[in-house]
């Protein structure tokens, strides 16, 4: 089955800095890679996703890059703000797993004002 | 669009009783719903997948007689924790996806905090 590794587990940055979270996956058939933001006591919220036919996707301060050859993808947040503080999960899914996503272990992002 | 609700948002029950959690897709028809369990500072653990009108498929290690899942309509799935014990205390989250949206996007509910005393 699919295995997703996520690093770092904790990331502490100053407001205005950039934050990068990296994930690797094992199943080369995986073709959909969403990122979720989970605030304390709430359910995960989809913030951006990328499919395997593109290498990069951007939405305002958030971007995701995908390297299919190396089987890794990354979340980039620029100009971080305190409200970006949350736990971020990456996931991978594809036909091999009936499109049921496999989640990374999560990254706790702390943005210091 | 793509809103998923859960009810209740939190519940406290006594050991030995049963608790039902509802998951609804508010603005789309959910052909597939998922139930997750999450312990503090941990990732989401998939418990079961349910397709409307079919029996749920449980992940290995999840007791199907303890965690009863019903997906009777395209907008409602329920999780019943039977004979709850303190170790069942956790954050339960549902998610839903629509076949019409393709097999990709999955939308999560806000979660239900269960505390068993």
């Amino acid at each position: 089955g699919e295995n997703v590794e996520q690093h770092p587990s904790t990331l502490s940055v100053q407001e205005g800095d950039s934050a990068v979270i990296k994930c690797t996956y094992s199943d080369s058939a995986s073709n959909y890679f969403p990122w979720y933001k989970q605030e304390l006591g709430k359910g995960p919220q989809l913030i951006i996703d990328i499919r395997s036919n593109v290498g990069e996707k951007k939405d305002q301060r958030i971007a995701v890059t995908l390297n299919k050859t190396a089987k890794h993808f990354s979340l980039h947040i620029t100009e971080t703000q305190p409200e970006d503080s949350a736990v971020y999960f990456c996931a991978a899914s594809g036909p091999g797993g009936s499109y049921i996503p496999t989640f990374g272990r999560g990254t706790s992002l702390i943005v210091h004002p | 669009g793509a809103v998923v609700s859960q009810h209740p948002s939190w519940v406290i029950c006594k050991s030995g009783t049963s608790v039902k959690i509802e998951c609804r897709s508010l603005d789309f028809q959910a052909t597939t719903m998922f139930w997750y369990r999450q312990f503090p500072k941990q990732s989401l653990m998939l418990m079961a997948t349910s397709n409307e009108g079919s029996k749920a498929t449980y992940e290995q290690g999840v007791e199907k007689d303890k965690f009863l899942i019903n997906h009777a309509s395209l907008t409602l799935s329920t999780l019943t924790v039977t004979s709850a014990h303190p170790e069942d205390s956790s954050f339960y989250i549902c998610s839903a996806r629509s076949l019409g949206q393709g097999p990709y996007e999955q939308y999560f509910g806000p979660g239900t905090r269960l505390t068993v005393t």
Side-chain angles (χ1 to χ4, degrees):
Chain A
E2 176 67 278
N3 182 49
V4 176
E5 298 283 341
Q6 182 172 347
H7 298 281
S9 57
T10 305
L11 180 57
S12 185
V13 300
Q14 287 296 128
E15 182 177 1
D17 288 350
S18 294
V20 180
I21 303 170
K22 299 182 179 182
C23 289
T24 60
Y25 61 99
S26 61
D27 186 352
S28 57
S30 289
N31 57 7
Y32 177 63
F33 308 92
W35 285 88
Y36 295 91
K37 175 183 181 182
Q38 187 178 27
E39 297 177 342
L40 193 62
K42 298 184 179 180
Q45 178 186 10
L46 178 68
I47 57 172
I48 195 167
D49 56 11
I50 190 167
R51 301 189 189 185
S52 60
N53 57 346
V54 297
E56 184 175 357
K57 185 176 178 181
K58 201 170 182 179
D59 183 4
Q60 299 183 336
R61 298 186 296 109
I62 298 173
V64 57
T65 59
L66 171 65
N67 183 325
K68 285 170 53 180
T69 303
K71 288 190 282 194
H72 67 70
F73 56 112
S74 301
L75 177 72
H76 304 252
I77 306 174
T78 58
E79 300 172 27
T80 54
Q81 301 167 2
E83 50 266 38
D84 293 330
S85 297
V87 178
Y88 291 80
F89 292 98
C90 64
S93 70
S98 301
Y99 292 100
I100 297 174
T102 299
F103 288 87
R105 297 170 75 89
T107 295
S108 177
L109 173 64
I110 304 166
V111 181
H112 299 281
Chain B
V3 178
V4 177
S5 71
Q6 272 183 251
H7 179 80
S9 55
W10 59 271
V11 57
I12 301 172
C13 71
K14 292 191 175 181
S15 187
T17 62
S18 295
V19 174
K20 180 184 282 188
I21 302 170
E22 291 187 349
C23 176
R24 293 181 185 273
S25 57
L26 298 185
D27 51 3
F28 67 100
Q29 294 185 323
T31 46
T32 305
M33 285 185 167
F34 306 88
W35 286 95
Y36 293 85
R37 185 173 181 177
Q38 187 178 37
F39 291 105
K41 298 190 178 182
Q42 292 191 22
S43 190
L44 294 89
M45 184 190 81
L46 180 66
M47 299 174 66
T49 302
S50 72
N51 293 300
E52 184 264 339
S54 303
K55 287 185 178 180
T57 301
Y58 290 81
E59 295 297 299
Q60 192 172 8
V62 177
E63 299 176 60
K64 59 182 67 177
D65 293 331
K66 181 166 189 62
F67 299 100
L68 302 178
I69 292 170
N70 183 283
H71 190 170
S73 78
L74 285 171
T75 60
L76 173 65
S77 176
T78 59
L79 166 67
T80 302
V81 183
T82 63
S83 187
H85 291 288
E87 56 265 32
D88 298 325
S89 299
S90 191
F91 193 50
Y92 292 88
I93 311 170
C94 72
S95 71
R97 73 181 180 203
S98 165
L99 194 61
Q101 297 167 339
Y104 301 109
E105 288 87 358
Q106 194 175 0
Y107 299 95
F108 285 85
T112 296
R113 172 77 55 195
L114 170 62
T115 301
V116 185
T117 61

